[in-house]
Structures are given as C-alpha cells and as structure tokens.
C-alpha cells in the first residue's frame, strides 16, 4: 500500500513538532539530574561536617536529629535521581524511535520518487 502525500506531510509535520519538544525535555532532565547530583554531594559534605563538629565539640546540642533529616533528604534526592535517569532513558528511546521513523519515511519517499522516475 503506497503512502499518500497527505500522510507523509502529516507524519513529517508531527515529527517536526515533537522532535524539538523531546530534545528540550531531554536537556532539562539532564540539567535537573546534574543539579540532583550536586545537591547529593553537598548533602554528603554537610553530613560529614556535622559529624566532625559533633565529635569535636561535645557541648553542642545533639545533631543526630538533623543528621537523620539530612540522610532522609539524601535518600529522596537519590530516588528522584533514579526516576530522572529512567525518564531520560525513555526520552532517548523515544528520540531513537522518532529518528528511525523519520529515516523509514524518507526511504519510502525516496523509493516512491525513484519508482515514479523509472515509470
């Protein structure tokens, strides 16, 4: 079954609309992921600093409660980072499928135009 010109135009139009949006989401996910990693590193550093302070100065109030809060936040950041990795993988997979579909459509267009030239 031959692909009609209207179907080809629709497919190309749809792909031209979706491709920039997918690329923008991918970029934003990557930026957010980098921020999450930086936040996790800072939480680790703060946790380490608080532990050292707690050991050095015994007169300070008990910081264990705050250390536990930081560890809970770190766990959440790690969970969000994991979700972001999954989202980014899905976006990249979708980009790959869109690219393959574009290549397939272009090949069909090229074959169709070659057949029209030889007819």
């Amino acid at each position: 079954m031959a692909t009609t010109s209207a179907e080809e135009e629709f497919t190309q139009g749809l792909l031209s609309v979706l491709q920039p949006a997918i690329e923008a989401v991918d970029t934003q996910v990557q930026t957010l992921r980098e921020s999450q990693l930086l936040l996790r590193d800072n939480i680790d550093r703060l946790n380490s600093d608080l532990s050292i302070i707690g050991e050095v100065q015994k007169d300070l109030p008990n910081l264990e409660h705050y250390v536990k809060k930081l560890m809970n936040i770190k766990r959440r950041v790690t969970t969000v980072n994991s979700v972001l990795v999954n989202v980014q993988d899905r976006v990249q997979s979708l980009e790959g499928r869109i690219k393959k579909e574009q290549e397939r459509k272009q090949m069909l267009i090229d074959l169709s135009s070659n057949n029209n030239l030889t007819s």
Side-chain angles (χ1 to χ4, degrees):
M1 174 187 260
T3 305
T4 66
S5 178
E7 289 174 336
E8 291 171 4
E9 287 179 24
F10 175 75
T11 301
Q12 290 300 324
L14 185 60
L15 291 175
S16 68
V17 169
L18 291 177
Q19 186 72 28
I22 290 172
E23 289 172 0
V25 167
D26 190 37
T27 301
Q28 291 172 351
V29 165
Q30 182 63 32
T31 301
L32 184 57
R33 195 169 161 216
E34 290 168 3
S35 296
Q36 293 289 327
L37 292 173
L38 182 61
L39 178 60
R40 188 181 68 193
D41 290 344
N42 286 334
I43 288 171
D44 284 341
R45 193 170 28 257
L46 180 58
N47 185 27
S48 176
D49 291 346
L50 286 175
S51 295
I52 291 169
I53 290 171
E55 290 172 9
V56 171
Q57 298 182 354
K58 297 294 182 189
D59 295 335
L60 287 178
N62 188 0
L63 299 177
E64 186 64 29
H65 174 71
Y66 299 105
V67 170
K68 285 181 182 179
K69 279 187 173 183
L70 282 173
M71 295 306 290
N72 187 29
I73 291 170
K74 178 184 175 187
R75 182 185 52 79
R76 287 194 216 161
V77 167
T78 302
T79 301
V80 169
N81 190 45
S82 176
V83 170
L84 288 174
V85 167
N86 289 335
V87 168
Q88 187 173 29
D89 289 346
R90 289 178 185 171
V91 167
Q92 288 172 345
S93 173
L94 187 56
E95 283 178 328
R97 285 189 270 171
I98 286 173
K99 186 175 182 180
K100 284 180 184 178
E101 183 64 19
Q102 285 175 325
E103 291 169 353
R104 186 183 74 77
K105 290 289 185 179
Q106 188 61 45
M107 184 181 70
L108 289 174
I109 291 169
D110 292 346
L111 286 174
S112 175
S113 64
N114 285 343
N115 287 339
N116 290 340
L117 293 176
T118 59
S119 296

